[in-house]
Amino acid sequence: MSDLEAPLRPKRKLGLVDFLVQFRWIVVIFVVLPISFTLYFLTYLGDVWSEWKSFEKRQKEHDENVKKVVKRLKDRDPAKDGLVCTARKPWIAVGMRNVDYKRARHFEVDLSAFRNVLNVDKERMIAKVEPLVNMGQITRVTVPMNLSLAVVAELDDLTVGGLINGYGIEGSSHKYGLFSDTVVSYEIVLADGRVVRATMDNEYADLFYAIPWSQGTLGFLVSAEIKLIPIKEYMRLTYKPVVGNLKEIAQAYIDSFCPRDRDQDNPEKVPDFVETMIYTPTEGVCMVGRYASKEEAKQKGNKINSVGWWFKPWFYQHAQTALKKGEFVEYIPTRDYYHRHTRCLYWEGKLILPFADQWWFRFLFGWMMPPKVSLLKATQGEAIRNYYHEMHVIQDLLVPLYKVGDALEWVDREMEIYPLWLCPHRLFKLPVKTMVYPEPGFELQRRQGDTNYAQMYTDVGVYYTPGPVFRGEVFDGVEAVRRLEDWMIKNHGFQPQYAVSELSEKNFWRMFDAELYEQCRRKYKAIGTFMSVYYKSKKGRKTEKEVQEAEQAILDTPYAEVDQPAE
């Protein structure tokens, strides 16, 4: 065999876990899907019951529940009760990292009651919501009013608390920033039981800027006021096929929403929604959307596509048809568009249920989709979970927009994963330096997409099985993630903490800025009460001794070392 014909990597020996993964669809079909549908239905009934209550009653219940949290915190004995965390089971989290910090001794606080929309203020254009309100719930309330959160994450199950304390993005983030950038105020229960309201200009402004990306390690978020925007009934979506190399696709993506004259704030030149999906190293589809009225959508000759129906083709496959039939335009009901990736979990549904995209399955059983991510995690077992960490990739690369082409080439070279998802977002220059921040001096470079007050970033969503694994070759997922993280550090990129991370503590604080976060940890007495954000995100099990040593290390240093070389 010639060198050109030899496999890129040696063949991998298959084992029992490979067999379990291959036929895991049996468990999903007969166990996960029925339970998921039941839970979705019960949750829906609970949401409807909540919506029937008056805002006054919801607020009264909220205040009573906050008092319970305060009492629970004050009942804690720091000497014997361990660190504080929520009572939520580890597998319930939507993120893919091992939430093993709860295996150490800890003091649970129940926040399960905080799942109500407390108020929709049409005059102030503010929605006040509790942290367990999810995206499906909030759009069901606001869209009929022709209102929406400025940033609505695509998956129904994603919660307000998770998107604030962690990371949230949507196709409108090129205008409004990340989900946390649209928050007006936070209601926080601090470690000492105080309940405070943090805004960008009150006495708790430092806490306001430190909460995003903190993973709930500064206090308990019990409500948030979030910006609303006016919307219309439909999204006019244009699908534009792009053929070329990865750098050319990246430039077409940039041109789809960034005027070359840098007039980035001109609504005539910048669409309301943007995303691009790349299907092969030479093919992608750019999508741009603008809100449209019902009258416009129903004009003669316009095509309306209600993508939310269970029997419809999965959205990413529908968009891919543009590669064959060329550019086209259609009108999608706005709420359907917001949740376009929910039913197929982007394209992960194809791996979970290989035949679920077929017309017969969609028609007969599509109404049960998607399986709840939490149930998928709960039923996978330790061996399958480790397999996914080693043979599967679920990562988001947040990189400066001008480096998106480099990021695409890196992923293609190191992981060979397709499809890829591109979604832009502004990273604002704030009065203080937060955990994530723009490149110093970006405003002087005058790059396409940037303004004087925000640098344009992009999320490169890498969710799928790498090419070498499909080919049966050896693939070291742990080492690949380490190289990915090293590349992001060198290129001023950020890794959302929901993903599996291999970062050491020093490299974690090379990626993120520690100063404001650690200042708030001390000022608001979070140290010794809440686990640090690095340790909470760290992969693997934590013993009681490890928790104590990690907390003591933080107390012994003014802030995490950020000037050490990458390991």
Side-chain angles (χ1 to χ4, degrees):
M1 181 182 291
S2 69
D3 291 340
L4 292 176
E5 295 173 334
L8 295 177
R9 298 174 175 86
K11 290 292 184 179
R12 182 172 62 87
K13 185 177 181 180
L14 301 182
L16 176 61
V17 69
D18 295 277
F19 177 84
L20 295 175
V21 170
Q22 182 180 356
F23 292 98
R24 189 158 177 255
W25 61 265
I26 298 173
V27 175
V28 175
I29 285 284
F30 293 104
V31 178
V32 176
L33 274 184
I35 297 176
S36 293
F37 178 77
T38 302
L39 291 176
Y40 281 127
F41 182 67
L42 293 175
T43 300
Y44 170 75
L45 292 180
D47 294 344
V48 171
W49 173 245
S50 172
E51 291 164 20
W52 281 348
K53 300 175 185 176
S54 66
F55 286 136
E56 291 78 10
K57 185 172 183 180
R58 290 181 227 171
Q59 184 63 51
K60 182 179 178 181
E61 291 177 352
H62 171 79
D63 294 339
E64 292 171 352
N65 289 327
V66 170
K67 290 177 182 178
K68 292 177 183 177
V69 173
V70 171
K71 182 179 184 303
R72 177 68 174 160
L73 278 174
K74 290 185 175 180
D75 287 344
R76 169 178 172 260
D77 182 349
K80 67 177 184 178
D81 286 333
L83 296 175
V84 173
C85 68
T86 68
R88 185 177 66 171
K89 299 302 180 185
W91 54 268
I92 292 179
V94 175
M96 295 308 296
R97 73 175 190 271
N98 293 346
V99 194
D100 283 335
Y101 64 90
K102 291 190 178 183
R103 296 179 188 267
R105 181 167 58 93
H106 56 272
F107 185 78
E108 293 185 345
V109 177
D110 187 3
L111 300 182
S112 60
F114 292 92
R115 56 183 321 275
N116 296 304
V117 177
L118 297 175
N119 193 18
V120 176
D121 190 330
K122 296 180 181 179
E123 292 185 4
R124 294 175 59 217
M125 293 295 284
I126 297 294
K128 184 178 182 182
V129 299
E130 292 179 320
L132 292 184
V133 169
N134 63 37
M135 294 297 98
Q137 182 182 358
I138 189 67
T139 57
R140 192 163 51 244
V141 172
T142 59
V143 169
M145 303 179 186
N146 279 359
L147 298 174
S148 172
L149 300 183
V151 174
V152 181
E154 284 90 348
L155 302 184
D156 284 24
D157 265 4
L158 296 175
T159 63
V160 167
L163 295 169
I164 287 172
N165 283 300
Y167 158 75
I169 192 173
E170 224 275 50
S172 60
S173 290
H174 65 294
K175 298 176 70 173
Y176 302 106
L178 298 177
F179 188 89
S180 55
D181 292 317
T182 68
V183 177
V184 175
S185 73
Y186 302 110
E187 184 184 12
I188 304 290
V189 181
L190 299 176
D192 59 6
R194 283 184 296 156
V195 182
V196 302
R197 180 175 181 268
T199 70
M200 66 175 63
D201 54 7
N202 72 359
E203 59 184 306
Y204 299 105
D206 55 351
L207 185 62
F208 176 86
Y209 287 115
I211 287 292
W213 296 76
S214 68
Q215 295 291 325
T217 59
L218 295 173
F220 284 125
L221 174 69
V222 290
S223 76
E225 292 183 306
I226 308 174
K227 178 181 178 180
L228 290 170
I229 60 170
I231 63 171
K232 296 179 181 179
E233 295 87 353
Y234 285 85
M235 186 66 62
R236 183 183 188 274
L237 194 63
T238 303
Y239 302 79
K240 300 180 179 180
V242 181
V243 177
N245 60 42
L246 289 172
K247 285 289 181 70
E248 291 169 338
I249 294 174
Q251 187 58 53
Y253 160 68
I254 294 171
D255 289 339
S256 71
F257 68 98
C258 294
R260 294 206 173 191
D261 60 4
R262 299 184 71 247
D263 194 8
Q264 196 64 41
D265 291 321
N266 188 337
E268 299 298 320
K269 298 180 180 179
V270 179
D272 294 317
F273 278 80
V274 178
E275 72 176 329
T276 287
M277 287 183 275
I278 303 177
Y279 296 94
T280 72
T282 59
E283 297 176 315
V285 176
C286 298
M287 285 155 280
V288 294
R290 291 184 179 273
Y291 287 112
S293 66
K294 180 168 57 178
E295 292 74 21
E296 177 185 340
K298 294 189 175 181
Q299 288 178 3
K300 186 176 180 180
N302 289 341
K303 179 183 177 182
I304 293 177
N305 183 10
S306 299
V307 299
W309 286 105
W310 76 88
F311 51 81
K312 288 281 189 173
W314 288 358
F315 183 76
Y316 84 96
Q317 294 176 339
H318 170 65
Q320 191 175 8
T321 61
L323 292 171
K324 290 186 177 180
K325 65 182 183 182
E327 181 175 329
F328 67 96
V329 177
E330 63 185 12
Y331 291 79
I332 300 175
T334 297
R335 189 165 185 267
D336 284 8
Y337 177 76
Y338 285 159
H339 303 295
R340 62 199 178 278
H341 293 299
T342 291
R343 190 154 40 91
C344 53
L345 299 174
Y346 288 90
W347 29 85
E348 287 286 310
K350 183 68 174 174
L351 292 177
I352 298 165
L353 291 170
F355 45 78
D357 59 338
Q358 300 299 306
W359 68 267
W360 58 269
F361 185 93
R362 287 189 277 109
F363 185 79
L364 295 175
F365 305 108
W367 50 273
M368 289 198 293
M369 292 290 285
K372 288 185 76 72
V373 174
S374 56
L375 284 175
L376 291 171
K377 292 169 62 179
T379 57
Q380 66 187 8
E382 191 77 14
I384 293 178
R385 180 170 73 165
N386 291 335
Y387 175 92
Y388 282 137
H389 286 174
E390 295 168 3
M391 303 292 171
H392 192 80
V393 176
I394 296 184
Q395 296 281 342
D396 287 273
L397 290 66
L398 276 59
V399 297
L401 183 64
Y402 71 95
K403 293 184 177 180
V404 65
D406 295 335
L408 294 176
E409 290 183 338
W410 192 96
V411 172
D412 179 71
R413 181 174 64 252
E414 299 287 338
M415 295 180 172
E416 299 179 59
I417 288 179
Y418 293 95
L420 296 171
W421 185 63
L422 300 183
C423 184
H425 68 92
R426 276 177 163 164
L427 197 55
F428 293 99
K429 185 169 71 173
L430 300 172
V432 294
K433 193 176 183 182
T434 56
M435 283 183 66
V436 298
Y437 55 97
E439 292 179 298
F442 75 89
E443 65 274 21
L444 304 178
Q445 302 300 319
R446 301 183 62 81
R447 297 188 182 97
Q448 192 175 354
D450 294 350
T451 62
N452 291 331
Y453 59 86
Q455 184 177 11
M456 194 66 76
Y457 265 59
T458 198
D459 181 330
V460 181
V462 187
Y463 328 120
Y464 216 52
T465 298
V469 176
F470 278 129
R471 295 193 297 268
E473 299 168 1
V474 170
F475 180 79
D476 189 339
V478 171
E479 182 58 31
V481 169
R482 285 177 180 152
R483 293 196 300 271
L484 171 66
E485 291 167 338
D486 185 56
W487 186 90
M488 282 196 283
I489 290 172
K490 292 176 181 177
N491 288 274
H492 201 79
F494 302 99
Q495 176 190 46
Q497 297 141 348
Y498 83 87
V500 177
S501 173
E502 301 294 336
L503 288 169
S504 67
E505 187 166 9
K506 289 180 180 179
N507 283 345
F508 184 89
W509 292 118
R510 283 168 56 83
M511 181 177 289
F512 302 101
D513 190 85
E515 188 168 1
L516 177 65
Y517 171 75
E518 293 296 355
Q519 287 174 359
C520 286
R521 290 264 293 165
R522 286 177 169 78
K523 180 177 178 180
Y524 298 109
K525 300 180 174 60
I527 298 176
T529 302
F530 298 101
M531 188 177 292
S532 71
V533 64
Y534 166 73
Y535 215 64
K536 189 172 181 178
S537 304
K538 179 173 178 270
K539 189 179 80 172
R541 300 186 180 187
K542 285 80 174 173
T543 65
E544 179 69 16
K545 182 180 179 182
E546 287 176 321
V547 171
Q548 292 173 346
E549 290 176 349
E551 289 299 299
Q552 188 60 44
I554 295 173
L555 286 169
D556 290 343
T557 55
Y559 51 86
E561 297 179 76
V562 296
D563 57 348
Q564 300 297 318
E567 294 181 347

